[in-house]
Amino acid sequence: MTYEGGSPSLNRLALSATIHCMTGCGIGEVLGLAIGTWAGWSTLPTMALAIVLAFVFGYSLTIRPLLGAGLPVAQAVRLALAADTVSITVMEIVDNAVMLVVPGAMDAGLSSGLFWGSLAIALVLAAMAAFPVNRWLISRGRGHAVVHEHHAGKDSSGDPHSGHDHHHR
């Protein structure tokens, strides 16, 4: 499907992909930063854990419905890698950069408003950075466009007969 600039359907797909990515990244990022902070780890291992978990949860949220749609594990993993890698990478760069530049955020404890406030702002800014990336990828048949045709046999509109073409190029 060819998208016109500013097409609501393209924006809806990009927003959906961004929210999807933010959910997986957010779960992994929050869990990783919380574990590292709770354990008293330094910044580098804490961020490394958060990044690894962000990718794990991000990919998992894509793989699960693909497996539910009957795809083999290897194909589901390949599609998740194609759909999510760029978006997760952008989100993780922005998210972790924000956490690093906010004075004291990485050293604040789990009971600190500074920690949670910085993390919330970091996730919002990361999503804002990922949205145009996801939009650009989807407009070219990449990113989440490669998985939408597999979600329960429907395209992003929910209509299995809409004829939208989201094939990977």
Side-chain angles (χ1 to χ4, degrees):
M1 172 179 204
T2 302
Y3 294 100
E4 306 287 321
S7 166
S9 63
L10 175 57
N11 287 334
R12 263 195 307 276
L13 282 172
L15 181 60
S16 175
T18 302
I19 290 169
H20 171 93
C21 182
M22 190 169 96
T23 302
C25 289
I27 292 168
E29 191 71 22
V30 168
L31 190 57
L33 290 178
I35 290 169
T37 299
W38 173 79
W41 293 353
S42 66
T43 298
L44 186 60
T46 298
M47 284 197 161
L49 177 63
I51 291 167
V52 167
L53 290 177
F55 276 92
V56 167
F57 280 96
Y59 289 140
S60 295
L61 289 180
T62 297
I63 292 170
R64 185 172 178 254
L66 293 173
L67 294 174
L71 269 69
V73 172
Q75 185 180 4
V77 169
R78 280 193 306 274
L79 284 169
L81 292 172
D84 292 336
T85 300
V86 174
S87 182
I88 295 172
T89 300
V90 167
M91 288 195 82
E92 285 305 296
I93 289 169
V94 172
D95 178 20
N96 285 289
V98 170
M99 291 300 291
L100 285 172
V101 300
V102 173
M106 288 301 297
D107 296 322
L110 293 179
S111 62
S112 167
L114 176 61
F115 175 82
W116 294 107
S118 299
L119 184 53
I121 291 168
L123 289 170
V124 169
L125 292 175
M128 291 172 64
F131 176 82
V133 172
N134 285 321
R135 189 180 186 285
W136 183 83
L137 288 167
I138 291 167
S139 74
R140 283 149 183 79
R142 303 209 187 287
H144 265 256
V146 302
V147 298
H148 280 284
E149 68 185 68
H150 298 288
H151 287 173
K154 299 177 184 176
D155 72 351
S156 61
S157 71
D159 179 0
H161 305 294
S162 68
H164 289 214
D165 180 13
H166 297 299
H167 294 282
H168 181 64
R169 290 180 172 79

